């Protein structure tokens, strides 16, 4: 059998492989190092966007950026570049340095494995705005399952599209996904949280390692 498993666009990919009905995630330590190195080399990024398992991983990474001590496999060196942001606090604008200004989860889900355990990772804090996008007709990741993740983010906004398990790409959605100093205000309830500088998003899902047969 040929070792060629397809083009980069069609190669099956995953951040971790679930085992024992999802109670065990295999491969996360390697994924943590991969993402950390990517952020060191190409960051800083305004936020993280992930689809499906990538959305789950994006939420995990957001938790690790808040508290790197949650997992020993998350590298402590070299240090990650930080993003300069302005927080609106009453009438005062406070400038600070952060690792992640916004999180976008499309068709995501809450990690529920016991090995490793994600106790302490959630809820994600109120200062991190999180946009959750779900498909009304998603039979692979039903909205009720994605809502479990939304409930574990203290600054959430949920938006629904009429399709299934995919990232909506119509013009209105493309405009909605664009964010930055002006676009972040389109997220409604999240507008008071952060005003990121720049418009770079770390794509959590597309760069996932290939699944080995």
């Amino acid at each position: 059998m040929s070792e060629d498993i397809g083009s980069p666009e069609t190669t099956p990919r995953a951040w971790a492989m679930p085992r024992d009905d999802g109670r065990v995630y295999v491969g996360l330590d390697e994924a943590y190092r991969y993402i950390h190195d990517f952020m060191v080399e190409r960051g800083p990024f305004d936020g993280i966007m992930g689809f499906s398992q990538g959305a789950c991983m994006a939420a995990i990474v957001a938790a690790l950026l808040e508290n790197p001590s949650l997992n020993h496999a998350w590298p402590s060196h070299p240090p990650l570049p930080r993003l300069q942001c302005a927080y609106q606090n009453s009438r005062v604008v406070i400038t600070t340095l952060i690792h992640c200004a916004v999180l976008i989860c499309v068709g995501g889900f809450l990690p529920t494995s016991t090995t490793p355990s994600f106790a302490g990772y959630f809820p994600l804090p109120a200062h991190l705005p999180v946009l959750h996008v779900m498909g009304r007709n998603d039979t692979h990741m039903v909205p009720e399952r994605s809502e479990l993740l939304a409930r574990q983010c203290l600054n959430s906004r949920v938006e629904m599209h009429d399709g299934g398990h995919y990232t909506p790409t119509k013009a209105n959605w493309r405009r909605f996904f664009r964010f930055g100093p002006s676009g972040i205000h389109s997220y409604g309830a999240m507008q008071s949280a952060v005003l990121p500088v720049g418009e770079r998003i770390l794509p959590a899902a597309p760069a996932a390692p290939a699944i080995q047969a």
Side-chain angles (χ1 to χ4, degrees):
M1 180 181 294
S2 172
E3 295 183 358
D4 183 6
I5 58 176
S7 68
E9 292 78 13
T10 61
T11 299
R13 296 176 181 272
W15 288 113
M17 298 301 295
R19 298 284 188 267
D20 296 333
D21 295 325
R23 292 189 294 271
V24 177
Y25 289 176
V26 178
L28 278 175
D29 288 1
E30 293 84 356
Y32 293 154
R33 290 190 289 270
Y34 179 87
I35 293 173
H36 184 276
D37 291 348
F38 189 93
M39 295 181 72
V40 168
E41 294 171 4
R42 306 192 187 188
F45 297 92
D46 288 301
I48 308 173
M49 180 175 181
F51 167 72
S52 194
Q53 191 193 66
C56 176
M57 175 59 83
I60 293 171
V61 169
L64 288 169
L65 292 175
E66 291 291 330
N67 183 5
S69 65
L70 285 170
N71 194 297
H72 67 88
W74 183 257
S76 57
H77 296 286
L80 291 170
R82 295 194 176 197
L83 178 74
Q84 182 175 350
C85 289
Y87 283 76
Q88 184 71 43
N89 184 1
S90 184
R91 296 183 179 181
V92 180
V93 176
I94 302 174
T95 301
T96 187
L97 295 175
I98 63 173
H99 290 307
C100 181
V102 66
L103 174 63
I104 303 175
C105 296
V106 183
F109 58 93
L110 188 69
T112 57
S113 71
T114 55
T115 307
S117 169
F118 291 99
Y121 284 61
F122 299 93
L124 294 181
H127 64 254
L128 175 64
V130 186
L131 173 66
H132 303 268
V133 179
M134 309 173 193
R136 289 190 178 89
N137 297 304
D138 191 339
T139 57
H140 178 76
M141 191 62 60
V142 295
E144 290 79 9
R145 190 175 177 192
S146 294
E147 287 168 2
L148 295 176
L149 175 59
R151 294 192 189 103
Q152 290 298 315
C153 303
L154 299 182
N155 188 2
S156 283
R157 174 169 175 173
V158 174
E159 292 291 336
M160 306 289 291
H161 64 87
D162 292 328
H165 194 57
Y166 59 79
T167 301
T169 57
K170 291 183 178 180
N172 60 325
W173 279 99
R174 293 198 303 271
R175 289 192 296 269
F176 184 72
F177 283 135
R178 292 180 60 193
F179 74 92
S182 58
I184 192 74
H185 290 281
S186 68
Y187 290 175
M190 300 191 292
Q191 63 182 347
S192 62
V194 285
L195 303 178
V197 179
E199 297 188 55
R200 302 184 68 192
I201 307 175
L202 172 60
I211 298 174
Q212 299 299 318

